Amino acid sequence: MNVHAGDRTLRLDNVTCVFDGGYVAVKDASLTVNDGEFICIVGPTGCGKSTLLNVAAGLLEPSRGNVSVFGQELTGMNKRAGYMFQAESLMPWRTALDNVALGLEIRGVPVDKAREQSKFWLEKVGLAAHKHKYPHQLSGGMRKRASLAQMLILNPEIILMDEPFGALDVQTRQLMENELLRLWSEDRKIVLFITHDLEEAIALADRVIVMSAGPAARPIGNFSIDLPRPRDVAEVRLTPEFLKAHSAIWDVMREEVLKSYKQFEGASHDA
Amino acid sequence: MTRKPSLPFLRLCQIGLFFFLVLAWYVLTAFELAPSFFFGKPLVVADRLYQWFATGKIYIHLWTTLLETLLSFGIGTIAGLAVGMWLALDPFASALLDPYVKAANSMPRIILAPIFAIWFGLGIWSKVALAVTLVFFVVFFNVYHGVRDVSPVLVSNARMMGASSRQLLRYVYMPSATSWVFSSLHASVGMAFVGAVVGEYLGSARGVGFLILQAEGVFDINTVIAGMVLLTIFALILDTIVTIAERRFLAWRPSQGSQRA
Ligand SMILES: Nc1ncnc2c1ncn2[C@@H]1O[C@H](COP(=O)(O)OP(=O)(O)O)[C@@H](O)[C@H]1O
Ligand SMILES: [Mg+2]
């Protein structure tokens, strides 16, 4: 365990993101993630979830507001964070083994040592038998496992995940969610997990944050999820506590989803 | 009915067709139905080829053409790779040079041959220079578009893992660019070969193109055809080597076989 004194939170303060062309994606969004907390952000598609995560990662500089990581204001990349992307992010010219080893190589670890550790992590995510395959030879689920290992091998203190399992079928997805919870429970890092799927959010999170529909999206709801851990994401969905949380959050979300739906409708009529 | 013929049968037919064509050529020229002055005679052509190798006279010419091809392929590829990466990663330079690149590419570069002959003389370097201008653009355009089309997610991913700009170059842009070099290998090797032979043909003292030029000067059609046959075999061998290299280096590409033109 880390024994840093003091602040171990990730904070966004009044973050506003304006894109070229003047579109205000996120406006005055504030958010605090405490040490060891698993947070899910839900919101309608296109509301600005990825934008917010990119700000937390240091990949995108907010137009206004700031980010502080463990008490320090963030400038440039967030070096304490690992990021798992929504889109395919493995290097297609590297095998699973070399993809997972990449982060260590970048940090100057000799290749054979990096590969050694990579093997360990591939085993941990159940890919030991596929280490010499290239991404196109792996299934979608396997690629996500490799991406997970690629991120975790660097032992980030903050884990950022942008709809990581969105493209998977339901069964694979639940397997991956359980896998993620198992790995996370080993050392309980900060997790900021983005999804548009409320059920996934409740099954995984300690806390669910609801974003309003864009433009000028911001968090509008904050729900603690008191389901016991360890959880099985498939079973937990059937408990009365889960259903209660779901209906409470859905009450807030429904309006936002409708709003965003209407915007798309409007846009397609204008076109 | 479009049933695919079995492979051995197909091969047999292909070989049969070859012999039929050669036989037709033989018969037509033997009876002067086609004037042998213009079309040569297959047996004489075969004899020229045999003599070239039997006397060993051909090796210096083959070696010269091969050397020119390899040099221009190497130089053109490295230059195309370097300039392609540079312009892909430097938007200002790219915008500045855009019209010049377009102009240089659309110019029929064979007309540079006389200039190169004046600059570099009749030795191999004038041929290498001509072929380099052909290879360069093939590699350049592939690398340029390849690097520009690198998924921004890969770049972000590497940056999140702590990559500096130099490391981005090494771990993301370079591998991506070299993969595009490999996928343009058939075209660039072909260009190197064409450039070398055309260069020789336009003025030289050695090389297979020179043999053809010399024979043409004395209306020795049989030697011209023998040179053509030799060049064709040469090109087929180069192409086979490229295919093997491709299999080896592009193993990570999905359905790599179907990408070949
Ligand atoms: N680079 C950009 N330039 C302009 N608009 C953008 C850019 N990135 C995202 N947007 C817009 O910002 C909004 C939020 O995008 P995003 O954060 O990706 O949404 P989400 O992840 O919630 O689906 C969308 O309307 C999108 O079109
Ligand atoms: Mg998104």
Side-chain angles (χ1 to χ4, degrees):
Chain A
M1 278 257 96
N2 274 304
V3 284
H4 279 283
D7 194 354
R8 287 191 56 82
T9 59
L10 170 67
R11 287 180 38 197
L12 307 186
D13 285 315
N14 292 310
V15 165
T16 298
C17 292
V18 185
F19 284 115
D20 301 338
Y23 182 78
V24 183
V26 177
K27 187 154 191 257
D28 291 328
S30 294
L31 172 70
T32 303
V33 191
N34 298 311
D35 194 14
E37 220 179 1
F38 197 129
I39 298 247
C40 282
I41 299 182
V42 287
T45 303
C47 72
K49 304 183 295 294
S50 301
T51 304
L52 209 57
L53 203 67
N54 288 338
V55 168
L59 284 168
L60 180 70
E61 202 183 337
S63 317
R64 274 196 305 280
N66 59 46
V67 181
S68 62
V69 183
F70 293 4
Q72 284 172 322
E73 190 168 327
L74 181 67
T75 52
M77 305 293 293
N78 185 344
K79 295 206 173 71
R80 293 178 193 268
Y83 197 129
M84 190 162 159
F85 293 83
Q86 181 173 9
E88 298 290 344
S89 62
L90 296 172
M91 310 288 154
W93 49 82
R94 284 181 165 243
T95 59
L97 183 72
D98 288 339
N99 257 296
V100 175
L102 177 59
L104 292 175
E105 278 182 52
I106 286 174
R107 290 183 189 198
V109 176
V111 176
D112 46 336
K113 282 227 179 91
R115 287 205 175 132
E116 211 49 53
Q117 283 204 50
S118 167
K119 273 183 203 152
F120 170 79
W121 275 99
L122 283 170
E123 227 157 84
K124 245 178 133 132
V125 296
L127 279 184
H130 305 283
K131 54 177 175 280
H132 295 305
K133 290 191 180 161
Y134 290 98
H136 84 269
Q137 296 165 320
L138 300 170
S139 69
M142 290 178 186
R143 287 201 289 270
K144 288 300 175 188
R145 281 167 200 271
S147 286
L148 192 60
Q150 189 183 48
M151 174 182 67
L152 293 177
I153 196 172
L154 294 175
N155 197 22
E157 292 168 284
I158 297 168
I159 294 173
L160 307 174
M161 304 178 91
D162 188 2
E163 308 197 27
F165 311 137
L168 303 178
D169 62 88
V170 179
Q171 282 79 22
T172 315
R173 188 168 170 172
Q174 293 187 345
L175 274 173
M176 291 297 300
E177 287 163 0
N178 278 332
E179 195 98 355
L180 173 65
L181 285 182
R182 183 176 63 76
L183 290 167
W184 172 72
S185 67
E186 287 176 8
D187 50 9
R188 303 232 169 179
K189 309 281 184 48
I190 285 184
V191 178
L192 199 52
F193 185 106
I194 285 191
T195 175
H196 61 256
D197 177 353
L198 180 53
E199 294 198 18
E200 182 178 44
I202 300 171
L204 293 173
D206 293 320
R207 194 143 63 91
V208 172
I209 288 172
V210 180
M211 296 261 291
S212 68
R218 61 195 168 75
I220 48 162
N222 186 348
F223 299 84
S224 280
I225 308 296
D226 296 321
L227 298 168
R229 292 187 191 274
R231 298 178 193 165
D232 179 294
V233 294
E235 285 167 15
V236 82
R237 274 164 222 237
L238 307 172
T239 63
E241 292 86 353
F242 182 96
L243 297 174
K244 230 173 77 191
H246 189 283
S247 71
I249 302 172
W250 183 242
D251 270 347
V252 177
M253 235 184 114
R254 180 173 42 216
E255 225 162 290
E256 299 308 320
V257 172
L258 280 175
K259 241 188 258 169
S260 120
Y261 178 71
K262 276 197 191 112
Q263 276 166 14
F264 281 120
E265 280 280 278
S268 59
H269 282 306
D270 292 347
Chain B
M1 262 211 349
T2 51
R3 241 188 46 196
K4 259 174 99 174
S6 75
L7 198 63
F9 176 70
L10 189 65
R11 286 280 175 273
L12 204 69
C13 291
Q14 285 170 336
I15 293 168
L17 182 61
F18 174 77
F19 280 108
F20 172 77
L21 290 173
V22 175
L23 189 71
W25 179 22
Y26 175 79
V27 170
L28 287 173
T29 50
F31 294 97
E32 293 293 328
L33 295 169
S36 60
F37 179 79
F38 292 117
F39 293 96
K41 290 190 162 188
L43 288 180
V44 185
V45 169
D47 184 56
R48 290 289 142 81
L49 281 168
Y50 174 76
Q51 289 300 331
W52 274 344
F53 285 94
T55 59
K57 174 178 174 253
I58 193 66
Y59 292 115
I60 181 69
H61 299 288
L62 270 180
W63 167 243
T64 305
T65 304
L66 180 66
L67 186 67
E68 288 162 358
T69 303
L70 293 180
L71 280 173
S72 46
F73 169 71
I75 296 170
T77 299
I78 290 169
L81 187 61
V83 178
M85 297 250 317
W86 171 45
L87 290 194
L89 296 174
D90 184 341
F92 177 74
S94 159
L96 176 72
L97 296 180
D98 183 58
Y100 297 93
V101 169
K102 284 210 180 99
N105 183 46
S106 35
M107 176 175 66
R109 288 183 296 284
I110 300 295
I111 59 165
L112 291 173
I115 298 181
F116 290 141
I118 293 168
W119 287 356
F120 301 109
L122 286 183
I124 64 167
W125 292 105
S126 57
K127 285 83 198 167
V128 172
L130 179 64
V132 161
T133 63
L134 300 180
V135 174
F136 173 82
F137 282 94
V138 174
V139 176
F140 168 79
F141 281 113
N142 267 286
V143 167
Y144 181 76
H145 289 121
V147 169
R148 286 208 132 184
D149 291 347
V150 167
S151 152
V153 180
L154 295 189
V155 177
S156 295
N157 192 16
R159 286 179 68 205
M160 281 311 292
M161 289 189 251
S164 62
S165 2
R166 284 190 57 153
Q167 285 175 320
L168 281 184
L169 211 61
R170 170 166 170 201
Y171 292 111
V172 183
Y173 292 117
M174 269 307 271
S176 175
T178 35
S179 82
W180 283 93
V181 170
F182 275 107
S183 63
S184 63
L185 216 53
H186 283 278
S188 54
V189 170
M191 282 297 184
F193 183 61
V194 168
V197 172
V198 169
E200 287 166 0
Y201 180 73
L202 291 176
S204 61
R206 266 181 206 157
V208 182
F210 164 71
L211 289 181
I212 294 178
L213 172 65
Q214 216 184 17
E216 189 200 314
V218 295
F219 295 100
D220 179 1
I221 192 73
N222 288 305
T223 305
V224 172
I225 293 173
M228 278 165 43
V229 171
L230 195 59
L231 287 176
T232 306
I233 295 169
F234 193 112
L236 285 175
I237 292 172
L238 277 183
D239 207 61
T240 310
I241 294 170
V242 168
T243 305
I244 293 167
E246 232 178 19
R247 286 220 190 100
R248 166 86 182 66
F249 290 102
L250 288 184
W252 58 269
R253 278 262 171 108
S255 66
Q256 174 238 324
S258 63
Q259 288 191 350
R260 281 195 47 196

